[in-house]
Amino acid sequence: MHLLKNELFFLMKHRLFLMFVLLCSVQLSFASITVKGRVVNKSTNEPMEYATVSAFSLPDSTLVTGVITEPSGHFTMSLEKGRYCLHFQYMGFITTRKTITLTGEKHQVDLGRILLAPDEALLEEVEIVAEVSTYEMTLDKRVFNVGKDVGNTAGNAIEVLESIPAVSVDVEGNVSLRGDEGVRILIDGKESGLSGMSTQDALRTLQGDMIERVEVITNPSVRYDAEGSAGIINIILKKDKRQGFNGAVNLRTGYPWLYGGSLSLSYRLRRWNLFASYGFNHRSNLGGGVNQTKRFDIVDGDTLYQQITDQTTERAMNRMGHHVRVGADYYITDRDIVSAAFVFRYGTNKTHPIVRYSDEYPQLGSSSYDIREEEWHETDPMYEVTLDYDKTFEQEGRSLKANVRYFQNFERSGSDITETLYPDANMQQSLWALCQKTAEDQGMRNLQASLDYVHPFAKKAQWEIGAKYTNRMINSLSAVTEKDSLGDYHPLSDYCYDFDYNEQVAAFYTSLGNDWGRWSAQVGVRAEWTSIYTNLKDYAYDGSDSTNNNQYFNLFPSAHLNYSIDENNQFQVSYTRRIRRPGFWMMSPFRSYNDNRNIRMGNPALKPTFMDSYELGYIHLWDKASFTFTTYYRHGNNMIRHYTYEDNGVYYSMPVNFGKADDFGVEAVAQGQMTSWLNLNGNVNFFRSYTRGFIQDQYYETESWMLFGRMVAKFKVSDWFDYQLTTHVMGPHKEPLGKRDGEWWMDMAVSKEVFHGNGTLTFNVRDVFGTRGRGGESWGEHFWQYSNSTWNRTSFSVNLNYRINEQNVKRNRRPDEGGGDDEDGGGEEMY
């Protein structure tokens, strides 16, 4: 039994290595003979997707290349003349081998059907769950496989993103890539209702155990939308396609009080693949912060302070969310697949902030103490429907994909606010009190349609062409009312609005790629027409409308060049041009109102940011380790920065376009199995940012050095449990009108296999030492501010994951060991 487990582990390890090589490298050989075939389940006669086909040269059994089968079971590989042993492998099935000799007389060899039989003895003796590498690297894409990271099983999508190299998430849930917040977040390769109007809240409702992997693409090709000045983060959800019935159950609880669970199921039979998942979570957060503000005048060179305010905020939040996803794949033929999916999300959010202001007026010799308390609530239902059609042709690499997606979001919120002013902190007798109410109603409709076609030609050349149309319409109604002495509520006109936002993007792209052995390249261009219409109706109840209609057409080229010195050393040079369109939240006049002295607002006059990005990357692979080094340069125009100004004691913060920026940086990512019990992986990103431009006719020039880093240590303590320690570091940096403090925090996780390997129990501690927060200074004409805040304190959680009928292969046979036979009973064939 022990030997069998060791063999299983070797098989899995070998197969995953093949998958990693396929993702991380271009073809290395100068092959001219095409070998193809189709892998089929011997028991059900169904095609087998994701089966591994490996070619070992004989007689030395050296791995030459390998491929993964398509949904139809077909595969194609290129080999030189010679003698080979082909291995056909799939988890839980007996490995089939076929020995062939390629003489060069035929340029194409068809092996026909290759049958794989289930390993019945293996399935009876061992319970299995597929393990994949936690982090896989290619030169243009980083793939983070969520399932194996013990620190993410009890987390949500925001917490998963915190664990990914080059990605930074602040305490408010804002996501940035290499220090740039212009990140496009996709779900299954497309914009989704899960990342609609309020991305942070939507991602918090998506549980980590529903995510299969996360792809980080810093320099995307023209196949992807040009949106996102920093790049793209693509979250891939689980959708099992293995035969039979499979599933997983998750239960979680923790402190500050959280509880939840999820259920994922899939069933594959003949031409149908059905999948469904449901998740529920309830989480409470305890946060808060401090803020110090000094308002002053300068007279004859002397600073005269008019007002000094010490502000503290305590915040208790409760979030609850339901998430349902159902769908099906139907194989019309072996090469035609239709997929449909439906997603429904319903969330509620309740927040109770208490803000205390202690004011001093040095020029008047007086002081006051003010308490502002709010009860805020929100509901945000969302539904989404998608329809996909995938077609592969007989010609290898030729494909057609079509997609239609529609989703709607609704966010309805309101609050009751009370504020009381006292002469001092003793609060013995109030000077006055007021009552206010807020109400907000937002709705979004989003329609997307896309078509992508890939056509191979010549020997290894490839032409891609595609088109996409997106239409997003949002309406937002917001009102703040105040109670008068008679008990009636009247609107505060400066905080009431009716805002329409309509964004249309029509895109067309084409690209050409080719492979010349160790060299490969791809060039392309994407054309996008954009129309952004905004209408601020009856603003401030003055009977007038403010309308902006901004239309523009842009070309976005990209180029990628790869060179493989050998299978362990690769280089890539790439260039892309990107755009960051100001979204709804940036352009909406929405004003936060729980703190009526520090108000965030949008800017309908914002223009898009354009970014030119250049990268030079290198990757080196060892048997048990890998290293990636990337140096990059980015040049941006119309950069978006936040500007704060003071008006009658109220501080308004809004985004504005600010000149140009030049960033030059280096990024290093390394991972390795140091010993049988220790695995290390980490990354560091260090860059210089130089910005210059005008804000309110004032010229600013800022040079800042930034550092982001992360280190993960995984310890395997015998067969008892796994232990993981993650440390995050974010260095300080400057802005044109402020600077941000550095921060660091540490997370810890312990996991243990239970229920004879069918389950995993995980204990999580996030922000072990309570050091995480967001702090910094800002300044402007006649004022200075310092603030520090956190949205959550140290948290503890326990998560139980139980797997239903899942299989984890833990053996492998060496190339020279015996195994299953091919369909005709074995023997060597010559072509």
Side-chain angles (χ1 to χ4, degrees):
M1 182 66 180
H2 181 70
L3 179 60
L4 179 61
K5 287 185 176 181
N6 289 338
E7 289 179 346
L8 285 173
F9 178 77
F10 190 81
L11 172 62
M12 187 62 184
K13 190 175 180 182
H14 169 67
R15 187 166 177 271
L16 289 173
F17 174 74
L18 284 177
M19 294 178 68
F20 181 79
V21 171
L22 293 173
L23 289 170
C24 297
S25 63
V26 297
Q27 286 198 13
L28 302 176
S29 63
F30 295 91
S32 58
I33 302 172
T34 299
V35 179
K36 65 179 183 177
R38 187 181 184 215
V39 179
V40 176
N41 186 326
K42 188 173 183 179
S43 299
T44 64
N45 204 35
E46 293 290 327
M48 300 184 67
E49 182 184 7
Y50 298 127
T52 303
V53 183
S54 320
F56 297 88
S57 64
L58 296 177
D60 57 358
S61 296
T62 301
L63 175 64
V64 176
T65 189
V67 295
I68 303 297
T69 57
E70 300 174 359
S72 61
H74 289 88
F75 70 90
T76 301
M77 63 171 55
S78 297
L79 296 171
E80 297 176 345
K81 293 189 295 183
R83 187 165 172 260
Y84 300 92
C85 179
L86 302 185
H87 289 216
F88 304 89
Q89 299 169 308
Y90 194 86
M91 293 183 294
F93 285 71
I94 299 174
T95 299
T96 292
R97 293 173 177 77
K98 180 182 284 289
T99 302
I100 63 173
T101 299
L102 302 178
T103 62
E105 297 179 2
K106 297 181 178 180
H107 293 292
Q108 188 176 87
V109 174
D110 190 347
L111 301 181
R113 293 200 314 163
I114 309 298
L115 300 183
L116 296 189
D119 193 336
E120 303 294 344
L122 171 64
L123 296 180
E124 289 178 1
E125 292 186 42
V126 184
E127 291 292 335
I128 304 173
V129 175
E131 289 189 3
V132 292
S133 301
T134 299
Y135 187 57
E136 301 171 358
M137 297 177 290
T138 68
L139 288 171
D140 61 345
K141 182 187 295 186
R142 318 291 171 83
V143 182
F144 181 85
N145 296 294
V146 177
K148 192 177 177 182
D149 195 318
V150 300
N152 288 319
T153 54
N156 54 42
I158 287 288
E159 293 166 339
V160 169
L161 293 179
E162 290 177 354
S163 303
I164 299 178
V167 177
S168 301
V169 183
D170 66 20
V171 294
E172 297 180 4
N174 299 305
V175 180
S176 60
L177 185 59
R178 291 176 175 171
D180 187 345
E181 292 185 358
V183 183
R184 184 68 177 269
I185 298 179
L186 306 178
I187 307 292
D188 288 332
K190 304 171 183 68
E191 183 184 357
S192 168
L194 289 178
S195 56
M197 289 188 298
S198 180
T199 302
Q200 297 92 334
D201 290 340
L203 293 178
R204 286 188 178 101
T205 68
L206 182 61
Q207 294 305 303
D209 55 84
M210 294 182 177
I211 301 173
E212 179 178 311
R213 66 183 186 274
V214 178
E215 300 173 344
V216 178
I217 311 170
T218 53
N219 255 11
S221 70
V222 295
R223 181 189 309 137
Y224 297 93
D225 292 343
E227 176 66 38
S229 58
I232 292 173
I233 296 176
N234 186 22
I235 299 175
I236 307 296
L237 302 180
K238 292 178 179 178
K239 186 173 68 172
D240 209 319
K241 291 187 178 182
R242 287 175 292 172
Q243 296 291 331
F245 177 76
N246 300 277
V249 179
N250 270 272
L251 299 173
R252 65 184 64 85
T253 187
Y255 177 83
W257 182 238
L258 71 90
Y259 57 89
S262 64
L263 173 66
S264 300
L265 301 172
S266 69
Y267 184 68
R268 177 75 181 271
L269 178 65
R270 299 185 183 276
R271 295 192 177 278
W272 286 96
N273 178 57
L274 308 176
F275 54 91
S277 62
Y278 167 74
F280 167 77
N281 80 92
H282 182 279
R283 176 173 298 205
S284 61
N285 295 334
L286 299 175
V290 296
N291 186 303
Q292 186 180 49
T293 304
K294 295 181 180 180
R295 185 157 56 94
F296 56 85
D297 291 322
I298 298 179
V299 179
D300 297 329
D302 295 328
T303 301
L304 303 178
Y305 290 102
Q306 303 296 327
Q307 180 180 355
I308 299 176
T309 301
D310 288 315
Q311 174 183 332
T312 62
T313 302
E314 297 176 1
R315 185 185 300 108
M317 294 178 288
N318 284 278
R319 304 176 188 272
M320 183 275 292
H322 299 268
H323 178 261
V324 179
R325 181 170 179 258
V326 295
D329 303 319
Y330 177 68
Y331 293 78
I332 303 172
T333 67
D334 291 343
R335 296 186 177 276
D336 296 85
I337 307 172
V338 175
S339 302
F342 173 79
V343 175
F344 175 75
R345 174 175 63 88
Y346 181 82
T348 63
N349 189 356
K350 295 182 180 180
T351 305
H352 181 203
I354 302 175
V355 186
R356 294 178 172 89
Y357 310 92
S358 180
D359 298 304
E360 292 186 12
Y361 304 93
Q363 300 300 309
L364 301 176
S366 62
S367 64
S368 64
Y369 188 76
D370 193 352
I371 298 180
R372 185 176 178 85
E373 188 170 354
E374 180 183 27
E375 292 286 351
W376 182 84
H377 55 87
E378 177 191 52
T379 59
D380 56 348
M382 181 281 296
Y383 70 85
E384 172 184 346
V385 291
T386 62
L387 182 64
D388 291 272
Y389 171 68
D390 290 0
K391 180 178 180 61
T392 58
F393 296 84
E394 186 70 27
Q395 183 183 7
E396 170 62 21
R398 186 181 173 195
S399 66
L400 176 69
K401 298 179 183 293
N403 168 266
V404 177
R405 175 175 299 218
Y406 176 80
F407 58 86
Q408 268 191 280
N409 283 60
F410 301 95
E411 293 185 4
R412 299 181 177 95
S413 63
S415 66
D416 292 288
I417 302 172
T418 60
E419 184 173 359
T420 308
L421 179 67
Y422 300 90
D424 53 48
N426 294 324
M427 297 185 298
Q428 293 179 351
Q429 184 176 2
S430 64
L431 299 177
W432 55 258
L434 61 82
C435 297
Q436 297 173 327
K437 292 180 179 290
T438 70
E440 190 167 9
D441 192 350
Q442 296 178 351
M444 176 177 72
R445 292 177 292 168
N446 192 310
L447 174 65
Q448 303 174 14
S450 64
L451 187 68
D452 301 275
Y453 175 70
V454 180
H455 187 87
F457 64 96
K459 287 186 178 181
K460 296 183 180 180
Q462 183 171 279
W463 175 50
E464 296 185 36
I465 188 172
K468 182 178 180 181
Y469 173 75
T470 301
N471 188 348
R472 184 167 59 151
M473 295 173 285
I474 302 176
N475 174 256
S476 180
L477 295 169
S478 183
V480 177
T481 58
E482 185 172 297
K483 189 176 182 179
D484 63 15
S485 58
L486 299 177
D488 298 323
Y489 281 88
H490 300 277
L492 301 180
S493 58
D494 286 346
Y495 303 100
C496 300
Y497 63 85
D498 181 354
F499 183 66
D500 287 331
Y501 175 93
N502 187 358
E503 176 188 288
Q504 296 183 78
V505 179
F508 173 83
Y509 76 89
T510 184
S511 69
L512 286 174
N514 203 357
D515 189 343
W516 304 272
R518 298 185 185 277
W519 292 90
S520 64
Q522 183 188 66
V523 294
V525 64
R526 186 179 185 94
E528 292 191 352
W529 171 82
T530 303
S531 172
I532 297 180
Y533 170 83
T534 63
N535 185 20
L536 191 57
K537 293 176 285 187
D538 294 331
Y539 182 62
Y541 291 91
D542 60 5
S544 62
D545 290 0
S546 175
T547 301
N548 286 294
N549 191 357
N550 194 7
Q551 297 185 15
Y552 44 90
F553 175 82
N554 304 101
L555 295 177
F556 301 94
S558 75
H560 293 75
L561 177 65
N562 297 267
Y563 175 69
S564 295
I565 301 174
D566 52 41
E567 63 180 6
N568 295 323
N569 295 275
Q570 304 163 42
F571 286 93
Q572 184 193 58
V573 179
S574 62
Y575 161 76
T576 61
R577 180 169 173 80
R578 309 285 297 166
I579 186 174
R580 182 187 183 187
R581 298 180 182 88
F584 166 77
W585 281 115
M586 285 188 175
M587 302 184 75
S588 168
F590 167 80
R591 305 186 181 203
S592 58
Y593 202 64
N594 68 292
D595 177 2
N596 63 346
R597 299 194 192 183
N598 298 277
I599 293 177
R600 297 182 183 181
M601 53 190 297
N603 181 2
L606 278 179
K607 297 179 181 180
T609 295
F610 292 92
M611 185 73 72
D612 292 279
S613 178
Y614 305 80
E615 287 191 13
L616 171 62
Y618 166 74
I619 182 171
H620 182 82
L621 303 175
W622 292 274
D623 289 341
K624 296 183 179 181
S626 61
F627 173 74
T628 298
F629 179 83
T630 305
T631 180
Y632 58 90
Y633 167 71
R634 301 180 305 202
H635 174 76
N637 287 294
N638 283 339
M639 302 303 295
I640 297 176
R641 295 290 187 266
H642 282 276
Y643 166 64
T644 302
Y645 67 94
E646 182 265 341
D647 182 14
N648 197 28
V650 179
Y651 299 89
Y652 299 92
S653 177
M654 62 184 297
V656 296
N657 288 113
F658 174 77
K660 301 179 180 180
D662 290 283
D663 298 340
F664 176 81
V666 294
E667 180 183 65
V669 181
Q671 65 172 349
Q673 190 69 39
M674 312 306 295
T675 68
S676 60
W677 53 270
L678 175 61
N679 180 283
L680 295 176
N681 74 78
N683 70 281
V684 62
N685 194 313
F686 181 69
F687 66 95
R688 169 188 175 271
S689 180
Y690 173 57
T691 60
R692 65 271 187 205
F694 289 88
I695 297 180
Q696 301 296 315
D697 298 325
Q698 178 69 41
Y699 181 77
Y700 297 94
E701 186 173 339
T702 306
E703 182 180 23
S704 179
W705 296 85
M706 303 187 192
L707 173 70
F708 307 95
R710 169 181 165 271
M711 173 61 72
V712 180
K714 299 179 182 178
F715 305 87
K716 186 171 185 62
V717 184
S718 185
D719 292 328
W720 287 93
F721 60 86
D722 293 332
Y723 175 76
Q724 178 174 303
L725 197 63
T726 306
T727 303
H728 307 259
V729 176
M730 185 179 296
H733 66 269
K734 297 178 182 179
E735 292 290 344
L737 286 169
K739 62 181 180 180
R740 178 169 171 175
D741 295 340
E743 60 178 309
W744 70 275
W745 71 96
M746 183 178 292
D747 301 328
M748 182 191 75
V750 179
S751 71
K752 177 175 174 56
E753 297 298 303
V754 294
F755 301 123
H756 305 289
N758 289 321
T760 303
L761 185 66
T762 305
F763 174 68
N764 242 310
V765 183
R766 294 194 177 274
D767 193 9
V768 177
F769 300 103
T771 55
R772 188 176 186 188
R774 177 171 182 167
E777 299 178 44
S778 62
W779 51 79
E781 187 176 5
H782 304 301
F783 76 90
W784 172 90
Q785 280 188 327
Y786 174 80
S787 63
N788 189 293
S789 64
T790 179
W791 281 70
N792 199 13
R793 297 170 184 167
T794 303
S795 62
F796 306 85
S797 63
V798 178
N799 185 79
L800 174 63
N801 173 269
Y802 183 79
R803 297 171 287 271
I804 304 171
N805 196 30
E806 295 206 3
Q807 303 173 340
N808 177 23
V809 176
K810 294 182 179 288
R811 71 167 187 181
N812 201 350
R813 296 188 179 100
R814 290 162 32 187
D816 55 352
E817 292 179 325
D821 296 323
D822 54 276
E823 186 175 357
D824 60 10
E828 182 172 346
E829 300 182 17
M830 299 185 65
Y831 299 92

